[in-house]
């Protein structure tokens, strides 16, 4: 029997947690590929910073700060403290070991390496067996339209604490971007494709907007399953709920399912949303109801096992390629 090959599409803390759960649940962690949003990447202090890639990387490596979900556990902030003496209180928190990641990445990129090459090298150095893949090697930038004008994503999300009403979302550079070949190859070889519980607008939205990415998923014969990031009408972390609301989408697991209509074969929703199962299934999508809140490593692995089991059940009912 051929080994299953799993593709997870992720961004943010929730996506990183399920990706880690999949790594824990799979007999061979090398069978996992994680395609990660890069549209919130930006430059600061002359360094290229990739927040979603780093969050997933640190989480898969067992280094992530459990209190925040991002950054490195136990990191110090001496570098940031010295920078504050020169230029005032910093708006973006970077630990000393985190700085090393950005210094190395920037150095490698300036030497001519692609983002996917640098990411694969760093993940390997941290002992990660799963393939960590940026959605593209090209630069894409999420821009947020607000009543105060258009904002860079990190300005909206971090500096202004995602307090602005979101009127629109644009991905600058997306029309010229191309998916990483390793991402397309992973999708073509996948036994199952998992949309992690990430913000569907600004975490998974950019990945699916890269020209060719959505087509590759649609061509795949693998079952496509999402895990809803909305539980009981609220996002567990971040602005997904307020963003869905201001952009005119239903703030519920059903609203998330509607955004992915045409791509998904099934969706995993929380027990708090069990009453929505019939509504979602009326659209032709299968539903599994379970506990989706991940508070421990075992929670992550258990949700991953249930999601993989659901995908395997769906695979048995899909037409042969």
């Amino acid at each position: 029997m051929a080994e299953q090959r799993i593709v997870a599409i992720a961004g943010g803390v929730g996506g990183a947690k399920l990706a880690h759960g999949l790594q824990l649940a799979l007999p061979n962690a090398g069978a996992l590929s994680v395609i990660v949003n890069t549209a919130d990447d930006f430059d600061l202090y002359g360094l290229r910073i990739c927040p979603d890639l780093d969050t997933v990387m640190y989480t898969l490596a067992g280094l992530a700060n459990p209190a925040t979900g991002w950054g490195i556990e136990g990191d110090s902030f001496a570098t940031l403290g010295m920078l504050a003496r020169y230029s005032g209180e910093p708006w973006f928190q970077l630990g000393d070991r985190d700085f090393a990641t950005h210094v190395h990445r920037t150095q490698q990129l300036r030497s001519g390496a692609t983002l996917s090459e640098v990411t694969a090298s760093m993940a390997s150095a941290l002992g990660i067996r799963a393939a960590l893949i940026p959605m593209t090697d090209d630069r894409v930038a999420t821009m947020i339209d607000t009543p105060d004008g258009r904002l860079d994503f990190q300005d909206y999300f971090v500096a202004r604490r995602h307090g602005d009403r979101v009127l629109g979302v644009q991905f600058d550079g997306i029309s010229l971007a191309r998916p990483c070949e390793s991402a397309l190859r992973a999708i073509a070889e996948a036994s199952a494709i998992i949309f992690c519980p990430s913000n569907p607008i600004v975490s998974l939205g950019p990945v699916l907007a890269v020209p060719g990415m959505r087509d590759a998923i649609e061509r795949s014969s693998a079952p496509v399953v999402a895990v809803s990031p909305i539980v009981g009408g609220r996002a567990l972390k971040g602005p997904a709920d307020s963003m869905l609301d201001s952009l005119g989408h239903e703030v519920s697991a059903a609203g998330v399912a509607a955004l992915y209509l045409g791509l998904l074969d099934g969706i995993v929703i929380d027990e708090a949303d069990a009453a929505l199962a019939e509504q979602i299934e009326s659209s032709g999508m299968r539903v599994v109801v379970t506990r989706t809140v991940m508070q421990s490593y075992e929670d992550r692995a258990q949700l991953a096992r249930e999601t993989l089991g659901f995908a395997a059940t769906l695979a048995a009912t899909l037409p042969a390629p």
Side-chain angles (χ1 to χ4, degrees):
M1 181 177 177
E3 180 183 56
Q4 59 179 339
R5 304 200 66 83
I6 306 303
V7 169
I9 302 179
V13 174
K17 286 181 176 181
L18 184 58
H20 184 228
L22 291 165
Q23 180 177 261
L24 293 172
L26 288 168
N28 174 16
L32 174 65
S33 296
V34 188
I35 302 171
V36 183
N37 168 48
T38 59
D40 61 355
D41 296 2
F42 71 115
D43 293 316
L44 184 66
Y45 306 123
L47 303 175
R48 190 63 176 169
I49 299 175
C50 304
D52 277 4
L53 273 175
D54 293 340
T55 294
V56 175
M57 182 172 71
Y58 295 153
T59 302
L60 292 180
L63 298 174
N65 182 344
T68 60
W70 49 265
I72 297 176
E73 183 177 17
D75 212 348
S76 55
F77 292 85
T79 303
L80 206 63
M82 195 65 181
L83 282 167
R85 294 183 66 178
Y86 292 131
S87 57
E89 192 65 29
W91 62 274
F92 197 90
Q93 296 295 304
L94 296 171
D96 295 326
R97 284 187 286 169
D98 202 15
F99 261 111
T101 296
H102 310 315
V103 169
H104 178 74
R105 175 190 292 119
T106 304
Q107 180 184 50
Q108 294 301 304
L109 290 173
R110 289 176 180 168
S111 297
T114 64
L115 180 60
S116 54
E117 290 169 342
V118 177
T119 301
S121 174
M122 291 196 301
S124 176
L126 294 179
I128 298 170
R129 294 180 59 205
L132 187 58
I133 307 171
M135 68 184 196
T136 181
D137 284 324
D138 302 309
R139 291 203 174 195
V140 176
T142 296
M143 307 297 292
I144 305 296
D145 291 325
T146 74
D148 286 343
R150 181 166 291 187
L151 304 173
D152 292 336
F153 180 75
Q154 297 301 339
D155 188 13
Y156 155 79
F157 186 68
V158 179
R160 298 166 69 105
R161 302 180 184 273
H162 50 79
D164 297 87
R165 181 171 175 80
V166 176
L167 305 178
V169 177
Q170 308 295 328
F171 306 127
D172 283 2
I174 197 73
S175 64
L176 299 177
R178 295 294 176 265
C180 288
E181 286 300 321
S182 50
L184 295 178
R185 185 164 55 251
I187 291 170
E189 297 173 353
S191 307
I193 300 170
I194 311 298
F195 288 12
C196 291
S198 305
N199 186 315
I201 306 295
V202 295
S203 291
L204 298 197
V207 180
L208 298 176
V210 176
M213 192 75 80
R214 189 182 184 101
D215 290 343
I217 295 171
E218 290 176 342
R219 287 195 303 270
S220 172
S221 60
V224 183
V225 175
V227 177
S228 174
I230 301 295
V231 175
R234 298 186 63 183
L236 296 178
K237 193 175 183 67
D241 45 9
S242 61
M243 192 173 283
L244 287 168
D245 178 58
S246 66
L247 292 174
H249 302 291
E250 182 179 330
V251 186
S252 70
V256 172
L259 284 171
Y260 296 140
L261 198 63
L263 278 178
L264 295 186
D265 298 298
I267 187 168
V268 179
I269 67 174
D270 192 78
E271 294 165 340
D273 298 312
L276 296 173
E278 185 176 351
Q279 175 188 342
I280 297 171
E281 289 186 328
S282 69
S283 68
M285 199 179 295
R286 295 278 297 278
V287 177
V288 157
V289 179
T290 188
R291 186 174 184 272
T292 64
V293 180
M294 295 173 282
Q295 296 177 325
S296 66
Y297 278 15
E298 178 50 37
D299 289 342
R300 299 177 189 185
Q302 180 60 31
L303 179 58
R305 286 191 290 267
E306 292 191 44
T307 303
L308 291 170
F310 183 31
T313 300
L314 290 171
T317 66
L318 295 177

